[in-house]
């Protein structure tokens, strides 16, 4: 009987070992398959991002030089800065990701010293927060231009706008360099093709503070953008109602109001869809003391199902945030003349500003 029990225990241990090995292999294959399938993402994002932002920069430069656009110079400076920020973000990060894919998802083949990971993390943090805060700056600029036009025309000079933009850049870059100074940490994230802020290393000095601050600053920027756009939309609608119904200027103001409202709503939707998942998931992972790099660090330590789901979602969320860099020039500038007037007639049908089914002026 004793020999039989030992034989059963031996068989069970062998079965458990085989199952564990199979699960480890499946986990590794899943990571590899995910990487091989998703290699199209960085390539597509880099090409489309470069094209869109480059076109936006050209349009902004041409518009900025025209005398009739002097009143729009502050807004054009903001759009140009956003397009330049997104363009450099794509140029500095996408080639690294593509190189890692070409190296068989082995980051150490591309970055033996580990310094490239810190550089990648600084770029992700800098260009991510800069995009959010530049969007907030444009939302504030629009709100001031609509609600207080006299104060805006007197005080909002191009030099003031340039100072604000430079200040945003410097402050965000200073914040992104904190892990290099020892506050926080940038780590390799699953599936091993990118680096970002670690959300689960409690032993690293200031890591929780740094990761939490990034998420809170991002959410704050979203709230500022959303609030200012709502104020702008309300002010536009109120001014539209106050215009005389029969005048030609009223019709033009109605058209501009509808186009601007549609654009602002599109901006808010894009920002919320692209950034909310990442920022909310970061706060969740910080509270749970988990991080995406735990899914990749050691295939012999199988991540839990919840952690693996968070890792998958974290990868999707960072891709959505990167997608915002591609959509920014189209939402803010390029699609305004192409699509907004197509939506104008439909929007006027349900707008309080519409006048007995009157169509938009084309």
């Amino acid at each position: 009987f004793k020999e039989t029990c030992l034989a059963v225990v031996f068989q069970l241990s062998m079965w458990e070992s085989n199952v564990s090995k199979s699960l480890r292999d499946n986990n590794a294959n899943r990571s590899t398959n995910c990487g091989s399938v998703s290699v199209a993402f960085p390539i597509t994002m880099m090409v489309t991002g470069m094209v869109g932002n480059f076109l936006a920069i050209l349009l902004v430069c041409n518009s900025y030089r025209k005398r009739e656009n002097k009143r729009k110079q502050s807004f054009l400076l903001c759009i140009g800065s956003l397009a330049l920020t997104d363009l450099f973000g794509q140029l500095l990060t996408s080639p690294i990701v593509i190189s890692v894919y070409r190296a068989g998802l082995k980051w150490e083949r591309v970055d033996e010293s580990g310094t490239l990971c810190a550089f990648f993390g600084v770029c992700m943090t800098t260009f991510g927060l800069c995009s959010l805060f530049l969007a907030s700056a444009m939302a504030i600029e629009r709100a001031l231009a609509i609600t207080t036009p006299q104060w805006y025309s007197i005080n909002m000079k191009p030099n003031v706008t340039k100072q604000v933009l430079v200040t945003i850049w410097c402050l965000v870059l200073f914040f992104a360099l904190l892990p290099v100074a020892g506050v926080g940490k940038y780590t390799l994230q699953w599936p091993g093709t990118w680096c970002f802020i670690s959300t689960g290393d409690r032993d690293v000095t200031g890591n929780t503070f740094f990761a939490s601050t990034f998420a809170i600053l991002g959410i704050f920027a979203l709230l500022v953008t959303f609030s200012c756009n709502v104020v702008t939309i309300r002010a536009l609608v109120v001014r539209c109602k106050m215009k005389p119904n029969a005048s030609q200027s009223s019709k033009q103001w109605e058209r501009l109001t509808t186009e601007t409202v549609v654009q602002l709503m599109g901006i808010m939707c894009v920002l919320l869809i692209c950034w909310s998942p990442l920022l909310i998931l970061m706060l969740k992972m910080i509270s749970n003391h988990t991080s995406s790099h735990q899914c990749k660090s050691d295939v012999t330590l199988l991540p839990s199902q919840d952690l693996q789901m968070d890792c998958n979602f974290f990868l999707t969320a960072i891709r959505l945030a990167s997608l915002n860099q591609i959509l920014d020039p189209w939402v803010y500038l390029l699609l305004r003349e192409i699509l907004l007037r197509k939506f104008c007639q439909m929007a006027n049908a349900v707008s309080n500003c519409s006048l007995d089914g009157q169509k938009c002026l084309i």
Side-chain angles (χ1 to χ4, degrees):
F1 176 77
K2 183 178 180 180
E3 293 176 354
T4 303
C5 291
L6 290 175
V8 171
V9 170
F10 178 75
Q11 291 293 332
L12 287 175
S13 62
M14 290 296 295
W15 177 80
E16 182 179 1
S17 176
N18 291 333
V19 169
S20 299
K21 183 177 183 300
S22 177
L23 289 173
R24 288 195 299 269
D25 293 340
N26 290 336
N27 184 60
N29 291 333
R30 185 167 61 248
S31 299
T32 303
N33 291 336
C34 174
S36 61
V37 172
S38 60
V39 67
F41 281 91
I43 297 176
T44 304
M45 286 183 173
M46 183 179 69
V47 174
T48 54
M50 288 176 59
V51 172
N53 287 293
F54 185 72
L55 289 176
I57 292 173
L58 288 180
L59 289 176
V60 168
C61 290
N62 292 332
S63 299
Y64 190 82
R65 295 171 183 173
K66 296 180 180 179
R67 293 183 179 180
E68 60 269 20
N69 288 331
K70 283 188 176 181
R71 295 182 179 180
K72 301 179 182 179
Q73 284 184 344
S74 294
F75 185 67
L76 291 173
L77 282 172
C78 291
I79 291 183
S81 299
L82 180 62
L84 196 63
T85 299
D86 292 337
L87 179 62
F88 273 99
Q90 293 288 332
L91 289 176
L92 292 178
T93 57
S94 295
I96 299 176
V97 176
I98 296 172
S99 299
V100 175
Y101 277 110
R102 293 188 61 185
L105 297 179
K106 302 295 184 182
W107 182 277
E108 57 274 10
R109 295 181 182 177
V110 179
D111 181 27
E112 296 180 357
S113 62
T115 55
L116 190 60
C117 184
F119 171 79
F120 195 98
V122 170
C123 290
M124 293 286 288
T125 303
T126 301
F127 294 113
L129 278 183
C130 274
S131 296
L132 287 171
F133 279 106
L134 289 175
S136 298
M138 281 187 283
I140 295 172
E141 188 271 345
R142 281 190 299 267
L144 292 175
I146 297 299
T147 57
T148 57
Q150 294 182 351
W151 183 92
Y152 177 86
S153 61
I154 296 174
N155 296 280
M156 283 302 295
K157 304 298 183 182
N159 289 335
V160 176
T161 305
K162 292 177 183 178
Q163 293 175 6
V164 172
L165 296 175
V166 171
T167 301
I168 291 175
W169 255 96
C170 293
L171 290 178
V172 171
L173 181 60
F174 173 79
F175 174 79
L177 289 173
L178 286 180
V180 179
V183 180
K185 183 181 180 181
Y186 293 118
T187 56
L188 186 64
Q189 306 291 327
W190 187 85
T193 57
W194 58 292
C195 291
F196 195 54
I197 301 170
S198 174
T199 56
D201 291 329
R202 288 175 289 181
D203 298 333
V204 178
T205 304
N207 188 70
T208 302
F209 164 79
F210 180 71
S212 302
T213 304
F214 176 88
I216 293 173
L217 287 175
I219 293 174
F220 173 75
L222 289 178
L223 291 176
V224 170
T225 304
F226 183 85
S227 301
C228 291
N229 285 343
V230 170
V231 170
T232 303
I233 291 172
R234 182 180 179 278
L236 285 171
V237 173
V238 170
R239 290 181 64 179
C240 182
K241 289 181 178 180
M242 296 173 60
K243 291 287 182 179
N245 293 338
S247 64
Q248 183 69 19
S249 61
S250 175
K251 298 176 184 179
Q252 294 177 351
W253 181 262
E254 177 187 348
R255 180 197 49 152
L256 293 174
T257 297
T258 306
E259 291 180 358
T260 305
V261 168
V262 173
Q263 185 186 32
L264 294 179
M265 292 179 65
I267 290 170
M268 290 188 293
C269 291
V270 169
L271 283 174
L272 291 175
I273 292 174
C274 289
W275 279 101
S276 295
L278 176 63
L279 299 174
I280 294 174
L281 183 60
M282 282 189 68
L283 292 177
K284 176 188 174 183
M285 298 181 76
I286 291 169
S287 63
N288 295 335
H289 302 290
T290 58
S291 181
S292 174
H293 74 273
Q294 295 173 358
C295 292
K296 184 69 179 177
S297 58
D298 190 355
V299 296
T300 61
L301 299 175
L302 293 176
S304 64
Q305 185 176 1
D306 292 339
L307 178 58
Q308 187 63 51
M309 289 180 60
D310 285 345
C311 291
N312 293 334
F313 190 38
F314 199 65
L315 181 62
T316 303
I318 200 67
R319 284 171 174 168
L320 280 175
S322 300
L323 184 63
N324 184 69
Q325 295 179 327
I326 300 172
L327 296 178
D328 274 342
W330 299 94
V331 173
Y332 280 98
L333 190 64
L334 299 178
L335 288 183
R336 181 175 178 86
E337 298 297 333
I338 300 174
L339 292 182
L340 285 181
R341 296 197 181 189
K342 300 296 182 182
F343 289 112
C344 187
Q345 183 176 357
M346 178 186 67
N348 270 336
V350 296
S351 174
N352 292 330
C353 297
S354 61
L355 304 173
D356 299 327
Q358 188 175 14
K359 295 182 179 180
C360 296
L361 299 175
I362 303 301

